[in-house]
Amino acid sequence: MTDSPTSLGSPDSPTRVLVLNSGSSSLKYQLLDMADASRLAVGLVERIGEADPRLVHTPRSGGKRERTGGFADHAAALAAVSEELAADGLGLDSPALAAFGHRVVHGGSRFGEPVVVDDGVEAEIERLVPLAPLHNPANLTGIRTARELRPDLPQVAVFDTAFHRTMPEYAARYAIDVATADEHLIRRYGFHGTSHAYVSRKCAALLGKDPADVNVIVLHLGNGASASAVAGGRCVDTSMGMTPLEGLVMGTRSGDIDPAVPLHLQRAAGMSVDETDELLNKRSGLTGLCGDNDMREILRRSDAGDQRARLAFDVYIHRLKKYIGAYAAVLGRVDAVAFTAGVGENAAAVREAAVAGLEPLGLSVDPERNTVRSDEPRIISQDGARVVVAVVPTDEELEIAQQTFALVGTENVRKNEIRTPLS
Ligand code: ADP
């Protein structure tokens, strides 16, 4: 039906990648053209298999379209996505489609790179389900559905954990009994890897340097939040651990906590394992501290004198500062600190507070530059600062598409410098 990946160099070679992020009842998608890194369509199917499912589709030309009903499962949802794309002349049966790129949350110790999915890869993703019980099964459903729709096309799995696979063992190991840890696959894996990879590379480009020559601390501050220390383009430490619960204070997750606290809650408060899990993942973090997980609302309340919101902000910032300091120590030399994701890209007050007092580490922001609003990567420290502080908007879908395309592409494609717009 379509050209094989080895014939990608021809003028008619396929350059489109459909990025799929499959949740248990949702399917997010973006169709990208890697010839110029443009987005041809984006959309979301939600509440799949539930009473009132809905598809929202937006082609590049604009004009958002909605459909409701009829999505009993992911296969039906993907079929509907295919119809919507076909209506824009972008059907999934088009020879222009080079591959599917699937976001997969957990790649365990096995996957440090994206891979073309075959039965063995599927089985391995399945084997890792105990480490990501909510996400990996949903990601697998997306992969299987797409493989059924286009068995002839490469289906590439891009793992959230992969970028962190380069961490040295002393950073990845927890200091617990080694045999127990190994038997249960317990170690630091880290998440948000596509974002940390994309942002650290973009940050190097912003500095006009090769990623291999730059040490950067990436602060991905969304509803989930994580920090990473990236030395010469390779992750050497990251704040999320075996699961995304560890590290920074997040919207609803506690981040770092004494491991005895959940034990105490189970013993002293009679909480079950599931209740403890729910407390730490859903009712903690900013929500637990002040009832809101949205930084906009916390800043508004705090400005209005709300003490709980102020405390939540202070706890959030204190943790962030500790990680900046820790990763400065891990890296030795820091060239840049990059803020990204919803909070990092938009909340000037968070950026200002996070580096306040860190002048001895070479860190400060220029108040005017910090408050400029833009979708572009930008430097917010003063010219000549020892450490560049930057805002670098993340783009996980583009990173997945790029990694997918790089894997299925040929030397010809690379010679044509199709990747240039993304560097
Ligand atoms: P997710 O982890 O869900 O992908 P995002 O990266 O989209 O999250 O970040 C969402 C969060 O970004 C919101 O919960 C909100 O706290 C924060 N946010 C978005 N816009 C702003 C803003 N203008 N000011 C402060 N915080 C913002």
Side-chain angles (χ1 to χ4, degrees):
M1 187 186 286
T2 188
D3 291 345
S4 73
T6 48
S7 63
L8 273 172
S10 74
D12 299 326
S13 60
T15 54
R16 292 181 194 156
V17 175
L18 185 73
V19 175
L20 288 183
N21 182 354
S22 181
S24 56
S25 65
S26 68
L27 187 66
K28 288 188 200 149
Y29 62 94
Q30 291 199 5
L31 183 66
L32 292 105
D33 191 335
M34 302 317 290
D36 58 1
S38 63
R39 233 164 285 257
L40 301 174
V42 303
L44 161 72
V45 191
E46 53 189 355
R47 300 191 291 270
I48 297 168
E50 295 173 18
D52 53 349
R54 183 172 80 123
L55 182 155
V56 182
H57 176 86
T58 311
R60 178 164 57 175
S61 52
K64 190 195 282 188
R65 304 198 293 272
E66 273 194 43
R67 278 167 73 163
T68 49
F71 316 126
D73 55 23
H74 282 72
L78 188 59
V81 170
S82 183
E83 284 170 26
E84 291 299 330
L85 289 167
D88 301 320
L90 302 166
L92 296 182
D93 56 353
S94 164
L97 189 62
F100 286 70
H102 298 270
R103 176 189 183 220
V104 180
V105 165
H106 220 304
S109 300
R110 167 76 175 72
F111 298 110
E113 301 286 340
V115 286
V116 175
V117 177
D118 57 17
D119 292 347
V121 170
E122 262 194 30
E124 188 66 17
I125 296 171
E126 182 106 56
R127 194 180 71 84
L128 295 167
V129 163
L131 291 175
L134 296 179
H135 291 103
N136 271 28
N139 302 154
L140 266 177
T141 302
I143 289 172
R144 287 175 176 143
T145 307
R147 283 185 88 190
E148 271 168 35
L149 187 76
R150 286 296 306 267
D152 55 318
L153 277 193
Q155 306 283 339
V156 175
V158 179
F159 299 91
D160 264 19
T161 48
F163 183 62
H164 306 303
R165 195 64 193 83
T166 51
M167 272 188 292
E169 187 171 3
Y170 55 75
R173 277 268 171 205
Y174 292 112
I176 62 170
D177 174 65
V178 168
T180 306
D182 289 351
E183 185 185 346
H184 296 284
L185 309 178
I186 294 169
R187 50 162 272 162
R188 176 185 307 286
Y189 294 100
F191 298 87
H192 291 145
T194 50
S195 179
H196 287 281
Y198 179 85
V199 170
S200 56
R201 218 178 49 243
K202 274 271 179 193
C203 185
L206 186 65
L207 271 58
K209 293 192 173 158
D210 193 291
D213 298 328
V214 176
N215 286 355
V216 51
I217 298 172
V218 178
L219 303 170
H220 177 111
L221 310 177
N223 201 18
S226 62
S228 68
V230 183
R234 291 163 68 84
C235 176
V236 293
D237 205 351
T238 193
S239 62
M240 283 179 167
M242 184 185 92
T243 77
L245 184 55
E246 193 179 350
L248 300 174
V249 175
M250 310 184 210
T252 63
R253 297 189 194 116
S254 63
D256 294 339
I257 190 168
D258 182 339
V261 171
L263 306 178
H264 176 75
L265 287 170
Q266 286 166 31
R267 289 196 190 106
M271 285 175 71
S272 69
V273 171
D274 286 347
E275 284 166 346
T276 320
D277 190 324
E278 199 256 349
L279 172 80
L280 296 175
N281 276 292
K282 303 268 170 63
R283 289 193 289 123
S284 295
L286 295 170
T287 293
L289 288 163
C290 75
D292 265 313
N293 70 345
D294 192 318
M295 188 55 79
R296 283 163 290 204
E297 190 55 18
I298 289 164
L299 291 170
R300 192 195 59 73
R301 281 174 53 188
S302 181
D303 285 347
D306 183 320
Q307 290 306 310
R308 278 182 68 201
R310 181 73 221 181
L311 177 66
F313 181 82
D314 289 345
V315 174
Y316 184 94
I317 295 296
H318 181 66
R319 185 81 52 84
L320 200 49
K321 260 191 191 167
K322 288 210 291 193
Y323 269 93
I324 294 172
Y327 287 173
V330 166
L331 289 169
R333 187 198 83 227
V334 183
D335 299 303
V337 172
F339 287 89
T340 195
V343 176
E345 291 168 28
N346 296 299
V350 168
R351 297 191 296 258
E352 185 187 338
V355 302
L358 299 187
E359 291 83 3
L361 296 179
L363 279 165
S364 65
V365 296
D366 177 88
E368 243 171 69
R369 288 182 177 180
N370 187 34
T371 46
V372 169
R373 296 196 68 87
S374 162
D375 292 336
E376 295 299 315
R378 57 199 183 275
I379 292 172
I380 58 169
S381 48
Q382 282 172 352
D383 294 343
R386 183 148 55 90
V387 179
V388 170
V389 183
V391 179
V392 180
T394 193
D395 193 336
E396 289 166 278
E397 290 77 15
L398 180 56
E399 177 69 19
I400 290 171
Q402 184 186 10
Q403 292 192 18
T404 298
F405 196 61
L407 187 63
V408 303
T410 64
E411 284 311 310
N412 270 346
V413 173
R414 280 189 274 271
K415 265 188 232 143
N416 288 340
E417 296 190 320
I418 278 172
R419 296 170 72 196
T420 305
L422 310 175
S423 60

